[in-house]
């Protein structure tokens, strides 16, 4: 293990790492544009220069592997001067159109200019080289060549990560520019990651472009609910209602504007697929269910829950405990499914399609998986794949009047459309039951047939844990408030349990602790241990946990 | 009135309050004395025209060139809206009264324009920060401050109202940057019948200086 000294402190580091990787680990800040931990090393921007003792010149820290006895200094006068010159070259032909640039506010050029350069340009604005502005690279990404600093992060992304090679550097020297071939637009399922990796405003997302300025957004760490991979992401949503009393525009807090990949080497590196990234738009596809509906009339949610509880109890007394069951969803959190299991006395299933068959299958070898539910493994861990037999089995049991009353929880699939057979099966199930409660996020017409409709919070509107296909438990935080009377399912369930005289907290972390005591596989975990990056419960074998995405 | 060390000059008039109170006691004579003052002022204003007040709505005082009244959105020389929807005004606004929705401009050199630009005039505090923040001199203020309306929702001014409110031209602009841009001008309905909106520009925006070069390259 080589020992190196950075800024008069000695560190023992792994062999083969580069200086910038070590600096990132120990918390020494080195500016960089072209270096990104997940897409390979280029060494073109010359921002990460550091002084190494006995080296004749400054060395790029992103491309220099550590060696034993190396003495590295960052931020010396010589380094600062070099970085200032590098910044001056990078900004030489920059159009300074920050007011209309979408990256402004989170632009590395702005940050590093303020931190390291602060020079006056030697080029008058009118004489700068002009290039093509704002043209489509593909359906989801736009390129502005004037703002590009040729760090080639996007080129290396399409080369090393997606292996599609759409983006290339054309021409050489001062004529070099990023572009695509005419017949090959940037249209791969991971194309919008180039917007994330672009440190400047050259690549912008067509979806997010001009919607809102970056400084109006607040980020909440979350987990994508688009499929069973459970990619870590950050949900950017508005916090501030601007516009005064302008009708219809005061309630801008609580709107999701975009999701951005969050680095987790074990799960998704830094990437998100485009479907998952844009999956929050699915929640805007149908009108939301804003109040409980009992027999076709809007009703207070607490009253509706009490009515439901009374009917469940009556049917339990008439036909026994087995006549009441529940159909959870593999998009519900572990906490909600656990409380559901408590209230319905283990008579809970979650399979409406072929989740268990699909959830370990890949759709591609990067991130996307065939099972489009985030918590299939969690439901299996809770033992919900029991003898009830999924949606088909429940339908048969309902038609034979073995089951007379049910609670059905339904989340629409965030990615893709819900299978028609599932919806048809749910219709059939509701028609066969004597009494049915449907808790759902949106106002679906098939759900209107149910006796009671309860509004439920959707993804990003509730806090809870999901267990991904590899058994990794991850926390999705609440980013925005659900509309109307909608509440997370675990809150509805805790209210129901209270009616059964079981006092239950609404706090998801405490519910998870209870879950850990009952479902022994989660016994070693709590919210603190799960943290930002998730954790794999200790009981799983190493081989199972190793099966992460490459 | 020469100051004396350690105190005031001797000839400073000393008002004996109790004396004055005794002298100005309410009596018949003081009543007539007061009438005298009233009539003197009345005749002076009637016949000599020495009047401190004006008949307000018909007559108005000139305001300062830096008066911060109702906002104006300026236009380019072709009459299209100058605003590029950069949200600087909405960001700085302490009353949070500006609402902007940006759109993709057909000209990639301009890139961005406001599809909506609403100011809630009831909420605005006329601080002028939006004018200071604007990088394009697209928003300036006028010397107009009459905003009486019959309906509360009429106090929310949209783009059309902020661009071409009648009466702005007569009074002239108010608060605007010290070094005005040459091409930021106020929309004039007399010379220009309709405003192109959304604006497509043939005329040269500062960003379009080297359009010919770009065409040559591509």
């Amino acid at each position: 293990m080589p020992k190196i000294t950075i800024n008069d402190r000695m560190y023992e580091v792994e062999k083969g790492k580069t200086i910038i990787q070590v600096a990132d680990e120990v918390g020494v800040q080195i500016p960089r544009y072209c270096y990104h931990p997940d897409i390979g090393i280029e060494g073109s921007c010359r921002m990460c220069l550091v002084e190494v003792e006995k080296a004749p010149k400054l060395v790029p820290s992103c491309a220099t592997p550590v060696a034993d006895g190396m003495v590295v200094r960052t931020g010396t006068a010589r380094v600062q001067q070099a970085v200032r010159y590098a910044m001056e070259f990078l900004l030489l032909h920059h159009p300074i159109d920050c007011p209309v640039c979408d990256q402004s506010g989170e632009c590395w050029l702005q940050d590093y200019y303020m931190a390291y350069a602060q020079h006056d340009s030697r080029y008058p604005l009118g004489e700068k080289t002009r290039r093509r502005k704002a043209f489509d690279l593909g359906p989801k990404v736009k390129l502005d060549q004037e703002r590009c600093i040729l760090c080639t992060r996007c080129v290396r992304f399409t080369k090393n990560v997606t292996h599609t090679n759409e983006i290339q550097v054309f021409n050489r020297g001062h004529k070099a520019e990023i572009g695509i071939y005419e017949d090959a637009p940037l249209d791969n399922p991971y194309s919008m990651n180039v917007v994330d990796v672009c440190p400047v405003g050259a690549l912008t997302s067509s979806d997010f472009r001009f919607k809102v300025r970056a400084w109006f957004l607040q980020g909440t760490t979350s987990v994508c609910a688009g499929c069973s991979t459970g990619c870590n992401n950050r949900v950017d949503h508005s916090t501030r209602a601007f516009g005064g009393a302008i009708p219809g525009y005061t309630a801008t807090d609580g709107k999701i504007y975009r999701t951005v990949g969050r680095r987790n080497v074990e799960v998704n590196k830094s990437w998100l697929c485009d479907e998952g990234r844009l999956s929050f738009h699915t929640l805007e596809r149908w009108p939301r269910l804003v109040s409980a509906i009992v027999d076709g009339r809007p009703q207070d949610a607490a009253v509706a829950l009490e009515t439901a509880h009374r009917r469940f109890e009556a049917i339990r007394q008439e036909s026994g405990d087995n006549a009441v069951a529940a159909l959870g969803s593999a998009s519900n959190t572990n906490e909600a499914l656990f409380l559901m299991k408590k209230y319905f006395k283990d008579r809970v299933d979650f399979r409406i399609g072929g989740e268990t068959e699909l959830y370990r299958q890949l759709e591609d070898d990067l991130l996307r998986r065939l099972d489009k539910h985030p918590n299939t493994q969690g439901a299996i861990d809770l033992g919900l794949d029991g003898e009830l037999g999924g949606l088909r089995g429940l339908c048969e049991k309902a038609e034979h009047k073995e089951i007379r009353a049910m609670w059905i929880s339904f989340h629409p699939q965030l990615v893709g459309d819900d299978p028609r057979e599932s919806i048809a099966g749910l219709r059939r199930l509701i028609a066969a039951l004597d009494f049915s409660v449907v808790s759902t996020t949106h106002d679906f017409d098939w759900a209107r047939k149910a006796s009671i409709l309860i509004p439920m919070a959707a993804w990003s509107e509730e806090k809870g844990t999901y267990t991904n296909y590899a058994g990794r438990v991850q926390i999705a935080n609440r980013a925005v408030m659900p509309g109307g009377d909608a509440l997370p399912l675990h809150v509805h369930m805790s209210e129901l349990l209270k009616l059964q005289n079981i006092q239950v907290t609404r706090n998801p972390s405490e519910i998870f602790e209870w879950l850990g005591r009952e479902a022994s596989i989660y016994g070693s975990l709590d919210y603190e241990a799960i943290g930002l990056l998730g954790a794999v419960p200790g009981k799983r074998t190493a081989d199972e946990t190793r099966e992460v995405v490459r | 009135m020469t100051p004396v060390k350690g105190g005031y000059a001797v000839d400073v008039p000393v008002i004996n309050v109790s004396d004055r109170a005794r002298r100005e006691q309410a009596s018949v004579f003081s009543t007539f004395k007061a009438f005298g003052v009233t009539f003197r002022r009345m005749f002076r204003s009637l016949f000599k025209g020495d009047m401190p007040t004006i008949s307000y709505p018909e007559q108005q005082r000139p305001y300062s060139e830096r008066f911060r009244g109702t906002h104006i959105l300026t236009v380019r020389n072709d009459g299209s809206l100058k605003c590029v929807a950069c949200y600087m005004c909405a960001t700085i606004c302490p009353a949070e009264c500006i609402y902007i929705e940006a759109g993709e401009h057909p000209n990639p050199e301009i890139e961005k324009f406001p599809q909506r630009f609403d100011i809630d005039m009831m909420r605005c505090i006329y601080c002028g920060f939006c004018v200071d923040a604007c990088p394009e001199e697209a928003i300036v203020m006028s010397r107009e401050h009459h905003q009486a309306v019959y309906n509360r929702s009429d106090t929310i001014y949209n783009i059309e109202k902020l661009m071409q409110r009648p009466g702005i031209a007569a009074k002239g602009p108010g608060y605007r940057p010290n070094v005005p841009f040459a091409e930021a001008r106020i929309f004039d309905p007399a010379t220009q019948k309709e405003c192109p909106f959304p604006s497509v520009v043939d005329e040269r925006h500062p960003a379009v200086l080297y359009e010919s070069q770009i065409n040559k390259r591509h």
Side-chain angles (χ1 to χ4, degrees), chain A residues 126 130 209 213 215 244-245 249, chain B residues 86 91 96 99 104 120 207 210:
Chain A
R130 305 304 311 261
R209 223 170 127 80
R213 298 314 294 257
W215 52 84
Y249 290 91
Chain B
C86 68
T91 306
E96 303 188 349
Y99 179 81
E104 189 96 39
D120 184 353
Y210 283 71

Side-chain angles (χ1 to χ4, degrees), chain A residues 336-354:
Chain A
L337 290 174
F338 175 67
L339 292 188
M340 193 177 230
K341 201 181 154 191
K342 284 275 141 200
Y343 181 79
F344 290 97
K345 303 181 177 153
D346 293 351
R347 302 277 291 167
V348 183
D349 205 303
F350 73 98
R351 294 160 290 183
I352 56 169

Side-chain angles (χ1 to χ4, degrees), chain A residues 376-404:
Chain A
T376 309
Q377 177 69 56
I380 293 171
D381 285 345
L382 285 169
L384 303 190
D385 52 344
E387 79 283 354
L388 285 172
L391 182 57
R392 186 173 302 173
L394 285 166
C395 274
E396 279 163 17
K397 285 195 173 62
E399 274 155 9
H400 293 125
K401 294 296 168 198
E402 283 172 46
I403 291 174
R404 290 180 55 206

Side-chain angles (χ1 to χ4, degrees), chain A residues 313-438:
Chain A
E313 288 297 304
I315 288 169
R316 270 175 181 156
Q317 280 187 353
E318 274 173 39
S319 327
D321 277 356
N322 282 354
V324 177
L327 182 66
S329 158
S331 302
N332 280 127
T333 59
N334 283 326
E335 289 77 4
L337 290 174
F338 175 67
L339 292 188
M340 193 177 230
K341 201 181 154 191
K342 284 275 141 200
Y343 181 79
F344 290 97
K345 303 181 177 153
D346 293 351
R347 302 277 291 167
V348 183
D349 205 303
F350 73 98
R351 294 160 290 183
I352 56 169
E355 281 91 356
T356 39
E357 294 79 49
L358 293 175
Y359 89 108
R360 270 186 190 278
Q361 288 178 35
L362 281 175
E363 196 180 352
D364 62 27
D365 60 351
L366 199 54
L367 293 176
R368 297 183 300 160
R369 302 192 84 84
L370 271 184
D371 177 23
K372 297 299 178 199
H373 297 88
N375 200 24
T376 309
Q377 177 69 56
I380 293 171
D381 285 345
L382 285 169
L384 303 190
D385 52 344
E387 79 283 354
L388 285 172
L391 182 57
R392 186 173 302 173
L394 285 166
C395 274
E396 279 163 17
K397 285 195 173 62
E399 274 155 9
H400 293 125
K401 294 296 168 198
E402 283 172 46
I403 291 174
R404 290 180 55 206
M406 271 190 75
W407 180 296
I408 299 162
S409 157
F410 181 79
H411 274 285
Q413 247 178 237
L414 286 182
V415 170
D417 292 322
D418 290 290
R420 285 213 187 126
E421 311 85 72
S422 311
I423 304 295
L426 287 167
R427 273 180 201 275
R428 198 176 129 206
L429 181 61
I430 291 170
L433 287 166
D434 291 351
F435 176 68
S436 55
V437 182
V438 174

Side-chain angles (χ1 to χ4, degrees), chain A residues 3 19 439 488 492:
Chain A
K3 285 183 181 141
I19 299 175
S439 68
H492 287 315

Side-chain angles (χ1 to χ4, degrees), chain A residues 152-458:
Chain A
T152 68
R153 274 187 179 194
C154 49
V155 178
R156 279 174 288 143
F157 176 80
T158 56
K159 188 180 160 202
N160 298 337
V161 180
T162 59
H163 309 291
T164 45
N165 296 310
E166 288 108 340
I167 306 182
Q168 297 291 341
V169 183
F170 293 90
N171 301 335
R172 297 174 63 187
H174 79 282
K175 288 186 179 169
E177 57 191 27
I178 296 289
I180 48 167
Y181 298 104
E182 272 175 18
D183 56 343
L186 178 65
D187 192 15
N188 65 55
Y190 296 91
S191 63
M192 289 174 86
N193 286 306
V194 298
V195 179
D196 283 0
V197 297
C198 184
V200 299
L203 293 166
T204 46
S205 145
S206 302
D207 177 65
F208 175 67
R209 223 170 127 80
F210 302 158
K211 290 275 184 343
V212 68
R213 298 314 294 257
W215 52 84
F216 291 129
L217 295 175
Q218 194 191 3
T220 301
T221 55
S222 186
V223 174
C224 179
C227 76
S228 55
T229 307
C231 296
N232 290 209
N233 65 8
R234 191 186 78 212
V235 179
D236 280 356
H237 52 94
S238 58
T239 50
R240 182 179 142 177
F242 50 102
I246 293 165
Y249 290 91
T250 46
T252 46
D253 39 356
K255 183 170 163 32
I256 300 176
Y257 283 97
R258 65 172 174 186
T259 53
V260 180
R262 182 159 59 87
R263 187 153 193 259
N264 187 346
V265 185
E266 306 278 311
V267 183
N268 57 327
K269 300 258 177 111
S270 308
W271 320 127
L272 292 179
C273 66
D274 290 356
E275 303 163 346
R277 184 186 297 266
L278 300 177
S279 66
F280 66 92
H281 286 308
T282 313
L283 299 176
E284 301 154 8
R285 259 166 71 183
W286 309 279
R288 288 301 292 266
L289 185 64
V290 287
S291 73
I293 292 171
V294 180
D295 301 327
R297 271 189 300 279
Q299 180 64 271
D300 193 45
V303 177
L305 278 179
E306 212 178 319
T307 316
H309 175 70
R310 257 189 284 117
R311 290 296 306 272
F312 282 142
E313 288 297 304
I315 288 169
R316 270 175 181 156
Q317 280 187 353
E318 274 173 39
S319 327
D321 277 356
N322 282 354
V324 177
L327 182 66
S329 158
S331 302
N332 280 127
T333 59
N334 283 326
E335 289 77 4
L337 290 174
F338 175 67
L339 292 188
M340 193 177 230
K341 201 181 154 191
K342 284 275 141 200
Y343 181 79
F344 290 97
K345 303 181 177 153
D346 293 351
R347 302 277 291 167
V348 183
D349 205 303
F350 73 98
R351 294 160 290 183
I352 56 169
E355 281 91 356
T356 39
E357 294 79 49
L358 293 175
Y359 89 108
R360 270 186 190 278
Q361 288 178 35
L362 281 175
E363 196 180 352
D364 62 27
D365 60 351
L366 199 54
L367 293 176
R368 297 183 300 160
R369 302 192 84 84
L370 271 184
D371 177 23
K372 297 299 178 199
H373 297 88
N375 200 24
T376 309
Q377 177 69 56
I380 293 171
D381 285 345
L382 285 169
L384 303 190
D385 52 344
E387 79 283 354
L388 285 172
L391 182 57
R392 186 173 302 173
L394 285 166
C395 274
E396 279 163 17
K397 285 195 173 62
E399 274 155 9
H400 293 125
K401 294 296 168 198
E402 283 172 46
I403 291 174
R404 290 180 55 206
M406 271 190 75
W407 180 296
I408 299 162
S409 157
F410 181 79
H411 274 285
Q413 247 178 237
L414 286 182
V415 170
D417 292 322
D418 290 290
R420 285 213 187 126
E421 311 85 72
S422 311
I423 304 295
L426 287 167
R427 273 180 201 275
R428 198 176 129 206
L429 181 61
I430 291 170
L433 287 166
D434 291 351
F435 176 68
S436 55
V437 182
V438 174
S439 68
T440 182
T441 54
H442 295 80
D443 198 356
F444 300 109
D445 55 344
W446 58 263
R448 284 274 180 168
K449 303 275 192 304
S451 325
I452 294 181
L453 266 174
I454 306 258
M456 186 168 66

